[in-house]
Amino acid sequence: MSGASGTGGLRRHHVKMSRIAIVSAMAQELHGLQQGLSGARCVQRAGREFWTGRLGAHDAVLVLSRIGKVAAATTVTLLLAEFGVERVLFTGVAGGLGPARVGDIVVADTLLQHDMDASPLFPRYEVPLYGLSQFPVDAGLSAALQVAAASALAGLHLEHLADFGIAEPRVRRGLILSGDRFVASAPEAAALQHAFPAALAVEMEGAAVAQVCHDFGVPFAVLRSISDRADDSAHVDFERFIADVASRCTVAILSAFTAT
Ligand code: ADE
C-alpha cells in the first residue's frame, strides 16, 4: 500500500459530515421528523426552536420556518449564520398548478417570487440588484431528494389519497412560485398559470429560502407535497391533506433521504 493511499483512507475515515438543516413549514412534519432525531438538543433563537442531533446518517438541525417569505428568510439566515449549516432542505405543502395534482410531490428546479414587482425600476419579478427572477436549486441535492421521493412514494400506502381522487401520486420537477398570499381562487391560480406556464406549484416560502441560500452560497433544495389546487376549495383540501397525508409522506421521503 502506498503512503498516499493509506493517508487518503485515514482522512476519508475522519471526514466531518456536513451539517444539514431540514426546515419544515408545518408543525406536523417537524414532529414526525423529530421522532427520528437521536441525541436531540433544543436551542432557542428569535422565538424559534432549533433541534440539533443525528438523523439517519446526517448531522442535522430541524426547525419550523413559520409562514411567509420573511419568516422563512429569518429562519434560514439563523441556520446559516449561527448553526454552521452547510446544506438546506425545505419541506412543506403547496397548491398545485398545471399538471400537478393533490398528492403529487414537486421538487423545485427553480423558484420565483410571484409577488415581486419593482417595475418600472426593474423588470417585473426580478429581485432588485440580483439580476435574477428565478433562483436555481442545487442540482445534486435536488436529484437525491427526487430519488428519495420516488422510492418513498412507491413504498407508502396512503389509503386517504383515494378520498382526494388520487390513484398514483407522481414526483415532478420544475418551477415553484412563492408569495405572501395563500392562493385560494380559480381566477388567481389561472392568472399565475398564465404568467408562468411552466409553474407546477405555488407556496409561501421557497423563493425566500432560495435567495438567502444564494447570498450565502449554500446548496439547498425544496420539496413540496401538493395539498390543493390553489382554487376555491384550497383551504378545505389543505387542512384535510395535512392531517391525513402530507406529514407521513414527507417523513417517509426524508427518512429515505437521510438513510444514505
Ligand atoms: N400552500 C399550500 N397550498 C397553498 C396555496 N394554495 N397557496 C399558497 N400556499 C399554499
Side-chain angles (χ1 to χ4, degrees), residues 93-96 179 181-184 202-204 224-225 227-231 234 238:
V93 292
R181 207 156 64 220
F182 187 83
V183 179
V202 58
E203 36 85 313
M204 301 178 70
R224 294 285 185 172
S225 319
S227 56
D228 56 79
R229 284 284 300 168
D231 57 12
F238 176 84

Side-chain angles (χ1 to χ4, degrees), residues 26 72 129 144 146 178 257:
M26 295 177 309
L129 309 181
Q146 185 177 358
S178 310
F257 178 85

Side-chain angles (χ1 to χ4, degrees), residues 49 60 114 247 254:
E49 291 186 343
H114 66 78
S247 42
L254 290 179

Side-chain angles (χ1 to χ4, degrees), residues 223-246:
L223 173 119
R224 294 285 185 172
S225 319
I226 300 302
S227 56
D228 56 79
R229 284 284 300 168
D231 57 12
D232 305 76
S233 56
H235 60 293
V236 183
D237 292 345
F238 176 84
E239 303 284 354
R240 285 176 58 215
F241 186 81
I242 288 173
D244 294 349
V245 183

Side-chain angles (χ1 to χ4, degrees), residues 117-192:
D117 187 359
S119 61
L121 303 179
F122 295 90
R124 189 168 180 194
Y125 307 118
E126 184 172 308
V127 182
L129 309 181
Y130 284 73
L132 278 180
S133 56
Q134 298 196 19
F135 286 73
V137 299
D138 181 75
L141 204 51
S142 303
L145 207 50
Q146 185 177 358
V147 169
S151 83
L153 279 192
L156 214 58
H157 297 291
L158 294 169
E159 64 278 6
H160 293 291
L161 272 184
D163 300 347
F164 294 90
I166 302 296
E168 296 235 338
R170 291 185 48 178
V171 181
R172 301 177 187 276
R173 283 288 294 274
L175 171 63
I176 294 184
L177 309 178
S178 310
D180 286 316
R181 207 156 64 220
F182 187 83
V183 179
S185 82
E188 198 180 346
L192 286 174

